[in-house]
Amino acid sequence: MTTDGTAPEARESAARSPFMLSTWSFGERANAAAWPALAAGGSSMDAVEAVSIFCEDDPEIDSVGYGGLPDRDGEMSLDGCIMASPEQCGSVCAIRRHRHPVSIARLVMQHTPHIMLAGEGADDFADQHGQQVEELLAPRAREAWVKWKQENPDQARGVRPVDRDRGGQLFASGNDESRWKDLHDTIGVLAIDEQGTLAGACSTSGMPWKVPGRVGDSPIIGHGLYVDPYGGAAVATGTGELVMAICGSFLAVELMRGGAMPRDAITEVLDRIASRSDLKPEHQLAVIALRPDGHWGSGALRPGFRLAASDAGGHQLLEPEIVRLPGT
Ligand code: ASP
């Protein structure tokens, strides 16, 4: 494994080596669970779905699937998408009864002429395709919501906007990932298989305490995730509204399609976001990107982001190459 953004083997050769990149530190254990099948010749599409399912099932991950934190009214809603190319992508948002949005998104891709299903229709579609109905709100997440509601009565009643900074406590200090805990944890995963096929997925319960009905970047093709076999793949995590304003994942892939290295494409995405005048202290945004030739990169607006890279040499937890606003 090299950590300079170059996958270990020359991907120019016909024989490809599988490689996988995921957001946040929990991506490492999710990668480890999905890796054996990818290493044994499995498809990148199966691998990114497997990583997503692993995180959606883990109640300790409080912004993905079961265990995610609910909206302002204590209701859970999940978003996710999967993509291999502009012709092969699927997405769902505002899922309330099923735990695996990426799997439902893949079913949308396979069994409908559409790309995105939302809300009740998406849940009904999941029922029709055999997805199990499951409780999404874990006891721990409910307790966290009750505590938030007690401590923030005006916000819980919707008469004040949700204070994402929670009095500045979360952002007072620290350069580690725990600083962003409870705020940003979308699993975003990119993989290339031994056929050289790229795929990506992302899955999230969105922002905790969000206004009911809010949908972020994660399930929207070109915002949270984009994959183009001729350009590469990129996935974002963090404050969805920031990346939605600039079509961030599409932008990164389009720049790579024009020849940019992943780190340069990511730098351009972060520069556009950093130049926004209304950037708030609680805003964070991170992007990981992978080119079809195996070059990859990572970057974040602020310190604290981690990513997990997996290849035949093992699984590594890494700091991003670029931190656009260090010391913030
Ligand atoms: N990007 C996700 C959203 O805005 C949240 C996250 O990545 O933590 O819904």
Side-chain angles (χ1 to χ4, degrees), residues 21 53 90 99 132 168 207 228 265 276:
L21 208 54
I53 289 173
R99 195 183 278 191
Q132 209 180 318
M207 295 296 176
D228 174 348
R276 288 172 63 125

Side-chain angles (χ1 to χ4, degrees), residues 63 183-186 204 206-207 214 216-218 236-241:
S63 203
L183 290 173
H184 305 286
D185 276 355
T186 294
T204 190
M207 295 296 176
R214 180 263 188 194
D217 61 313
S218 301
T237 177
T239 313
E241 285 73 7

Side-chain angles (χ1 to χ4, degrees), residues 23-24 63 79 164 180 182-187 203-208 210 214-219 224 236-244 284-286:
T23 55
W24 303 108
S63 203
D79 308 325
R164 304 265 321 291
W180 300 105
D182 295 353
L183 290 173
H184 305 286
D185 276 355
T186 294
I187 182 68
S203 180
T204 190
S205 55
M207 295 296 176
K210 62 195 171 191
R214 180 263 188 194
V215 176
D217 61 313
S218 301
T237 177
T239 313
E241 285 73 7
L242 295 178
V243 80
M244 289 167 89
Q284 169 66 308
L285 198 277

Side-chain angles (χ1 to χ4, degrees), residues 117-140:
L117 296 183
E120 191 59 28
D123 272 311
D124 289 348
F125 172 84
D127 290 337
Q128 287 151 19
H129 286 81
Q131 293 283 302
Q132 209 180 318
V133 172
E134 286 174 283
E135 174 59 55
L136 299 184
L137 186 62
R140 237 175 59 148

